[in-house]
């Protein structure tokens, strides 16, 4: 089953665009349909001759602008945190590589920069057998004198 999250995200963005355009068209129609003026008053604050459409549209625009600014500020915060963590990850990766290098040097491991294995020179060993120290006098056999022994 293919991952449809990308397509779903594009659909949501396109739907938001269409909805925003419809709200804009409705606000324009509402503004041109309601041209009469009204008096808006609060406790001590009073506005006279305010167009009727602005009573509905201006608060909507202010809320949308405030939400957009909050969203941008929130994204900026997440982006800076992401970059800070990314920078820290790069620092830690560099530290790990230096520690590996030091450990390899400590353990006398090859560092992997050689392209071919090192040639080990072999020293030829002489095969001359050493003669054990032997007494110079012949050993008597069966109690006979060495001079009377027969060579076999």
């Amino acid at each position: 089953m293919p991952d449809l999250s990308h397509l779903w995200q594009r659909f949501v963005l396109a739907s938001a665009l269409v909805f925003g355009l419809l709200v804009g068209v409705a606000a324009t129609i509402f503004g041109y349909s309601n041209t009469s003026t009204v008096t808006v008053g609060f406790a001590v604050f009073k506005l006279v001759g305010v167009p009727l459409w602005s009573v509905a549209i201006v608060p909507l625009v202010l809320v949308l602008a405030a939400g957009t600014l909050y969203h941008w500020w929130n994204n900026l915060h997440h982006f800076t945190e992401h970059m800070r963590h990314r920078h820290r990850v790069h620092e830690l990766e560099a530290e790990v590589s230096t520690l590996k290098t030091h450990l390899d040097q400590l353990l006398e491991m090859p560092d992997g920069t050689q392209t071919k294995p090192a040639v080990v020179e072999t020293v030829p060993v002489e095969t001359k057998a050493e003669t054990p120290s032997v007494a110079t006098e012949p050993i008597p056999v069966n109690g006979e004198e060495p001079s009377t022994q027969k060579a076999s």
Side-chain angles (χ1 to χ4, degrees), residues 13-36:
L13 286 174
S15 299
L17 175 67
V18 170
F19 181 73
L21 290 174
L22 290 176
V23 167
V25 168
T28 304
I29 292 172
F30 180 78
Y32 280 112
S33 300
N34 297 299
T35 56
S36 62

Side-chain angles (χ1 to χ4, degrees), residues 9 32 44 53 79 84 95 102 122-123 127 133 135 147:
Q9 183 181 13
Y32 280 112
V44 289
W53 64 267
F79 178 73
R84 188 174 64 84
E95 185 177 347
H102 290 303
T122 57
V123 178
T127 58
S133 59
S147 59

Side-chain angles (χ1 to χ4, degrees), residues 37-61:
T37 60
V38 294
T39 302
V40 179
F42 296 103
V44 289
F45 184 68
K46 189 173 189 180
L47 295 173
V48 179
V50 177
L52 183 59
W53 64 267
S54 65
V55 173
I57 302 298
V58 170
L60 178 66
V61 169

Side-chain angles (χ1 to χ4, degrees), residues 82-115:
H82 164 73
M83 292 306 289
R84 188 174 64 84
H85 288 149
R86 181 178 176 199
H87 180 69
R88 182 69 178 136
V89 165
H90 286 294
E91 287 176 352
L92 291 174
E93 286 175 348
E95 185 177 347
V96 165
S97 67
T98 58
L99 287 174
K100 281 183 180 180
T101 304
H102 290 303
L103 184 63
D104 288 346
Q105 289 173 355
L106 184 66
L107 297 175
E108 296 177 357
M109 299 289 284
D111 60 352
T113 57
Q114 296 175 348
T115 56

